[in-house]
Amino acid sequence: MRVQSLTLAAAGAALLAPATLPAPAVSYAAPGDRHRITAADLLARVQDCAQVSKGRYRSDAGTAATVPVCGTRQAVFWKADLDIDCDGRATAHCNRTADPAFFAATAFQQSDGGQLNAEELPYVVVPGVSGRWNHRASGIRGGAVAAVIYKDRVQYAVVGDTGPRDIIGEASYATAKALGVNPDPRVGGVPSGVTYIVFKDSGIQPIEDREAAEAEGERLAEQFAGDD
């Protein structure tokens, strides 16, 4: 749940560390594509935007609002950056020291009532409900299945958190890592080129079942890619 401005986040980081280290030049995802449906298959279905949001979103605080939420019969989608969400359960890489904007809760919880584990569970963040767009009205709720695409990689995820009402483009540490994106919450993420597709009226129970999200994501993606 990214609620701090970039200025405040940077200031917090400066207090916690003597210097900001550059992002390490390594790949975070396993080599090879394990999915039947490719990034190209999905991107071919989201070339045109039928806007469903009443306005556009910022990718970060202080930037221009340029990102619409678009819709099809089966899904909603947007194309934005990827900021790292480490919120939820405190772990080795997601905690107040590692992430100045860390918040120890997510909008949606595990089946046992605990907070989601951003380091282990691929999830995406949707903007909070507003007059601009109400994700619930589009059939999107906690546990809804999403396909996140970056370059030639596809990662299936669930809707696990909500963010500011005017900002879009955020996913968990685990999502970024699986896409080959630096997942460090202070210096990671990418500034553009990420497509988020969330399938309407979908859902995983329990929300933390990563294997179920993968299987259902592949099934829904296959339907979406073949939809005429």
Side-chain angles (χ1 to χ4, degrees), residues 9-30:
L15 289 173
L16 289 168
T20 299
L21 297 176
V26 297
S27 174
Y28 294 90

Side-chain angles (χ1 to χ4, degrees), residues 12-156:
L15 289 173
L16 289 168
T20 299
L21 297 176
V26 297
S27 174
Y28 294 90
D33 193 342
R34 64 191 182 279
H35 299 122
R36 296 189 308 273
I37 305 304
T38 67
D41 293 331
L42 292 172
L43 292 175
R45 299 291 300 147
V46 296
Q47 293 182 22
D48 301 319
C49 176
Q51 186 168 326
V52 297
S53 59
K54 294 181 180 178
R56 298 191 174 206
Y57 288 88
R58 306 174 192 277
S59 57
D60 291 296
T63 63
T66 60
V67 181
V69 176
C70 311
T72 73
R73 182 175 60 85
Q74 292 179 310
V76 296
F77 65 91
W78 55 92
K79 301 177 182 182
D81 63 344
L82 194 158
D83 293 325
I84 309 301
D85 190 324
C86 250
D87 294 344
R89 185 190 310 175
T91 63
H93 294 100
C94 289
N95 53 64
R96 296 189 190 282
T97 300
D99 181 5
F102 177 79
F103 189 68
T106 44
F108 309 106
Q109 283 73 48
Q110 295 186 156
S111 54
D112 62 1
Q115 304 304 322
L116 301 184
N117 183 338
E119 188 175 340
E120 296 294 334
L121 180 68
Y123 71 71
V124 300
V125 181
V126 295
V129 171
S130 71
R132 184 179 284 107
W133 180 52
N134 179 349
H135 57 271
R136 299 188 196 111
S138 293
I140 308 301
R141 291 173 173 78
V145 181
V148 189
I149 304 156
Y150 180 62
K151 295 183 177 180
D152 61 348
R153 291 191 179 274
V154 179
Q155 175 60 44
Y156 297 114

